[in-house]
């Protein structure tokens, strides 16, 4: 592929991911860079085969899954978004929080797994230190009220397995 093709693919991927307040990493290799902001919002939900809900599906013994949402400032878009994931994903967030501090760095989050794959994983790596100019942009963007926002845009990608992550 030529560099023009690479650039066009990069822009197409960017535009697919834009368009809502949720971070959407829809397929294997998709990634985003941003800063985690504010406090997490955690809740237990049930998978009905198509989407998550707060109540178990009728007539089915269902085990609740953990979903954790965080505000996530995306410098490339100049926007505050919401990123959401399951237990394994959130444990990875806690690891980078303990090692690097979430307020000091932007992080690259990369999806490893095709759409619908219940074994999808996400890598979370430090990308760049947050400077004063970035802090000001983050503060100006403001935080979403995570408790009042509905379900994730990633629900169609999410797996019903309790430890599976989605992202968000």
């Amino acid at each position: 592929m030529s560099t023009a093709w690479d650039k066009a693919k990069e822009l197409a991927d960017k535009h697919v991911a834009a368009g809502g307040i949720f971070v959407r990493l829809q397929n294997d290799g998709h990634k985003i860079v941003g800063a985690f902001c504010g406090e997490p919002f955690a809740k237990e939900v049930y998978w009905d085969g198509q989407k998550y809900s707060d109540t178990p599906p009728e007539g089915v013994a269902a085990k609740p899954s953990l979903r954790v949402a965080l505000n996530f400032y995306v410098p490339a878009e100049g926007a505050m978004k919401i990123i959401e994931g399951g237990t394994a994903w959130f444990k990875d967030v806690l690891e980078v929080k303990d090692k690097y501090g979430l307020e000091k760095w932007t992080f690259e989050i990369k999806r490893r797994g095709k759409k619908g794959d219940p074994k999808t994983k996400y890598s979370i790596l430090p990308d760049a230190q947050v400077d004063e100019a970035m802090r000001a942009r983050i503060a100006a963007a403001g935080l979403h009220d995570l408790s009042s926002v509905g379900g994730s845009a990633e629900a169609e990608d999410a797996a019903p397995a309790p430890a599976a992550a989605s992202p968000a």
Side-chain angles (χ1 to χ4, degrees):
M1 249 195 257
S2 73
T3 55
W5 282 101
D6 292 337
K7 181 67 175 174
K9 180 186 180 304
E10 180 182 314
L11 287 172
D13 289 345
K14 177 183 170 186
H15 284 270
V16 164
I21 64 170
F22 283 94
V23 169
R24 295 184 60 136
L25 301 176
Q26 295 182 311
N27 225 327
D28 188 42
H30 285 187
K31 59 186 171 181
I32 193 163
V33 172
F36 293 102
C37 304
E39 298 294 317
F41 177 73
K43 64 182 177 178
E44 287 186 323
V45 294
Y46 298 87
W47 180 253
D48 72 4
Q50 295 180 5
K51 65 183 181 342
Y52 285 107
S53 72
D54 294 333
T55 56
E58 278 188 42
V60 178
K63 204 161 84 172
S65 295
L66 175 69
R67 303 297 294 165
V68 180
L70 282 156
N71 280 284
F72 192 72
Y73 180 76
V74 181
E77 298 177 32
M80 187 66 70
K81 295 204 162 218
I82 297 172
I83 190 161
E84 184 179 77
T87 303
W89 175 84
F90 187 64
K91 284 184 176 184
D92 290 343
V93 171
L94 291 173
E95 273 189 48
V96 296
K97 176 185 178 284
D98 290 345
K99 185 164 184 164
Y100 300 101
L102 298 182
E103 68 285 344
K104 298 176 185 175
W105 290 86
T106 60
F107 293 89
E108 177 189 270
I109 301 174
K110 184 174 185 179
R111 180 183 177 119
R112 300 198 185 280
K114 293 181 178 169
K115 186 173 185 171
D117 182 353
K119 294 183 180 178
T120 294
K121 304 282 185 217
Y122 294 85
S123 62
I124 305 172
L125 300 172
D127 186 69
Q129 288 194 309
V130 174
D131 59 18
E132 288 305 314
M134 176 72 73
R135 274 189 235 300
R137 290 193 301 274
I138 291 169
L143 300 176
H144 295 287
D145 178 2
L146 301 175
S147 66
S148 69
V149 176
S152 166
E154 290 274 334
E156 70 273 10
D157 291 348
S166 111

